[in-house]
């Protein structure tokens, strides 16, 4: 009998695959700990489309199109990047 993956399992597998696709470690400090790795929309700032988190529920082909616009960074480096950016207003 076939049992479909749960949504949680699918998201976990998609995230692991996306992390591997982007090199598996922080682009800035080279930290390989997947528990702290995040996706930074480095070239396309916020509010310009779906988040990677929302795309983890969908297909790999749709996700990979958006991964090309991201860099993999650890939470610490991600925060440092955000703090070095000029402040912007969110409507």
């Amino acid at each position: 009998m076939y049992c479909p993956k749960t949504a949680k399992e699918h998201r976990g597998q998609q995230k692991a695959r996306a992390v591997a696709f982007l090199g598996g470690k922080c682009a800035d400090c080279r930290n390989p700990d997947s528990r702290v790795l995040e996706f930074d929309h480095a070239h396309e700032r916020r509010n310009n489309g779906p988040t990677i988190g929302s795309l983890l529920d969908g297909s790999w082909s749709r996700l990979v199109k958006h991964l090309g616009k991201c860099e993999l960074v650890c939470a610490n480096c991600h925060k440092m990047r955000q703090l070095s950016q000029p402040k912007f207003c969110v409507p």
Side-chain angles (χ1 to χ4, degrees):
M1 181 170 153
Y2 172 74
C3 294
K5 289 189 268 186
T6 66
K8 185 176 180 179
E9 290 171 330
H10 178 74
R11 285 178 64 80
Q13 290 174 350
Q14 289 284 73
K15 182 175 181 185
R17 200 169 170 193
V19 166
F21 180 82
L22 291 176
K25 53 190 161 191
C26 176
D28 294 345
C29 72
R30 314 309 284 166
N31 183 347
D33 188 345
S34 64
R35 296 172 299 173
V36 298
L37 293 175
E38 300 177 346
F39 304 97
D40 182 22
H41 291 85
H43 306 294
E44 189 176 286
R45 287 293 144 202
R46 283 68 175 153
N47 301 327
N48 289 341
T51 64
I52 295 300
S54 68
L55 293 170
L56 291 174
D57 292 326
S59 70
W60 174 250
S61 59
R62 184 164 183 234
L63 175 58
V64 81
K65 289 178 188 175
H66 290 274
L67 288 175
K69 303 172 189 174
C70 295
E71 288 184 314
L72 190 64
V73 291
C74 71
N76 190 52
C77 290
H78 197 184
K79 187 59 147 179
M80 296 301 287
R81 284 180 174 201
Q82 290 173 334
L83 291 173
S84 69
Q85 294 294 317
K87 300 290 181 198
F88 59 93
C89 296
V90 178

